[in-house]
Amino acid sequence: MEMESDMLEVCVDSTESALAAREGGASRLELCGNLVIGGTTPSPCLFQEIQTVVDLPVHILIRPRYGDFCYTEHEFHIMINEIEMFRQLGAQGVVIGMLRPDGTLDLERMKQLIQAAGDMSVTLHRAFDLCADPFAAMKQAKALGIHTILTSGQQNSCSLGKELLRQLVSLEDGRIRIMAGGGVNPRTLKELLPYIGAHAWHMSGKTVLQSPMLYRKKEISMGAASLDEFQILRTSASQIRQAWEVLTHYKEVYHVS
């Protein structure tokens, strides 16, 4: 499996964030909807809009709903159809994951999702972090032909999961790539890169912007009451640029090829 020497994937859920990621030097995009709840499958129109303005590989998150990764048959059928749709629209990759109730990968249905992906790149998302045995799951992911595992090291952040991440990177064997994610920013990247040794990193680079709305009826909520609906989360080009500079500096200092 051919791998880039280093790669910075940026997770975005808007065209504006995609443009900022490109400006900051992102290697590729993971496109989702509703990033504020961890991401769901984006609309095809959002993908097509981004295609018109951003010349970067785009990998599509396939996640039919918020919550866990143990899906019904109806949800599974939706996932199959969405993968086929985005493949036809020209997406370069998909980001998937399905679990069984016992915390193992749902191998039979994962195989069908991968088959639907055809020649697209396949990433196993952070469903991996909810697996009971990460080493068994990694071995199975290799056998399935998955290209990348996005993981925080089975912790809430890659900083907390750095020990497992380091072990997983040592087991890549050129057959799969570990992409470290969860709380990645320029500061944590600088701290963790020499220790974990991963060549792929995943971040959103979010910044909080205020809505342009002047009239605000705050006593009415359109969704979860805990969310401020007059705040917009958007990727910061500056954060992406700083993270890319950390990766480049590490490569130069440690002579990483």
Side-chain angles (χ1 to χ4, degrees):
M1 183 177 93
E2 185 177 348
M3 299 182 182
E4 306 99 327
S5 58
D6 39 47
M7 192 261 289
L8 182 64
E9 179 180 88
V10 179
C11 185
V12 302
D13 63 358
S14 69
T15 307
E16 291 78 11
S17 286
L19 287 166
R22 181 194 64 181
E23 180 185 343
S27 307
R28 77 183 189 201
L29 305 177
E30 181 197 278
L31 180 61
C32 67
N34 305 305
L35 187 54
V36 71
I37 56 171
T40 54
T41 306
S43 81
C45 291
L46 173 59
F47 170 64
Q48 290 175 308
E49 180 70 15
I50 288 174
Q51 275 189 311
T52 66
V53 295
V54 176
D55 185 20
L56 284 175
V58 180
H59 290 200
I60 306 293
L61 176 65
I62 304 297
R63 188 184 183 205
R65 59 164 170 78
Y66 165 80
D68 64 32
F69 305 104
C70 188
Y71 294 121
T72 68
E73 277 301 304
H74 293 296
E75 290 168 334
F76 173 60
H77 291 153
I78 291 169
M79 295 168 76
I80 288 280
N81 290 333
E82 286 175 331
I83 290 172
E84 292 175 345
M85 174 185 65
F86 280 110
R87 177 168 54 81
Q88 293 170 6
L89 289 174
Q92 285 79 20
V94 287
V95 184
I96 61 174
M98 294 187 69
L99 300 181
R100 297 178 59 81
D102 64 358
T104 59
L105 291 179
D106 189 338
L107 294 176
E108 291 307 312
R109 295 201 289 180
M110 286 280 291
K111 288 177 183 177
Q112 295 179 63
L113 295 181
I114 292 168
Q115 183 177 12
D119 59 358
M120 287 195 292
S121 177
V122 177
T123 296
L124 170 59
H125 58 45
R126 290 186 63 199
F128 176 87
D129 286 327
L130 300 182
C131 287
D133 184 337
F135 300 106
M138 184 176 185
K139 184 177 180 180
Q140 290 170 333
K142 288 179 180 179
L144 287 170
I146 289 171
H147 302 98
T148 305
I149 297 175
L150 170 60
T151 172
S152 62
Q154 297 205 327
Q155 298 290 336
N156 281 330
S157 72
C158 58
S159 295
L160 294 173
K162 65 182 182 180
E163 298 299 337
L164 177 57
L165 282 167
R166 180 173 174 145
Q167 294 179 65
L168 295 172
V169 169
S170 73
L171 297 172
E172 289 179 337
D173 297 330
R175 296 175 57 195
I176 203 164
R177 164 166 285 194
I178 295 297
M179 181 187 297
V184 174
N185 58 49
R187 178 183 57 79
T188 57
L189 185 58
K190 186 175 182 179
E191 294 172 356
L192 295 174
L193 185 53
Y195 187 78
I196 295 174
H199 289 290
W201 297 81
H202 173 96
M203 65 183 290
S204 64
K206 294 188 299 290
T207 188
V208 179
L209 304 177
Q210 289 299 313
S211 164
M213 284 294 298
L214 299 177
Y215 176 71
R216 302 185 177 191
K217 196 181 287 289
K218 291 191 174 182
E219 63 270 23
I220 298 178
S221 175
M222 295 293 105
S226 60
L227 299 178
D228 186 336
E229 293 167 350
F230 297 101
Q231 288 186 342
I232 300 169
L233 299 179
R234 191 168 291 165
T235 297
S236 162
S238 175
Q239 282 200 45
I240 306 307
R241 187 178 303 110
Q242 291 175 51
W244 184 249
E245 288 171 355
V246 171
L247 284 172
T248 303
H249 178 71
Y250 174 80
K251 182 176 179 180
E252 292 173 350
V253 170
Y254 292 92
H255 306 289
V256 177
S257 59

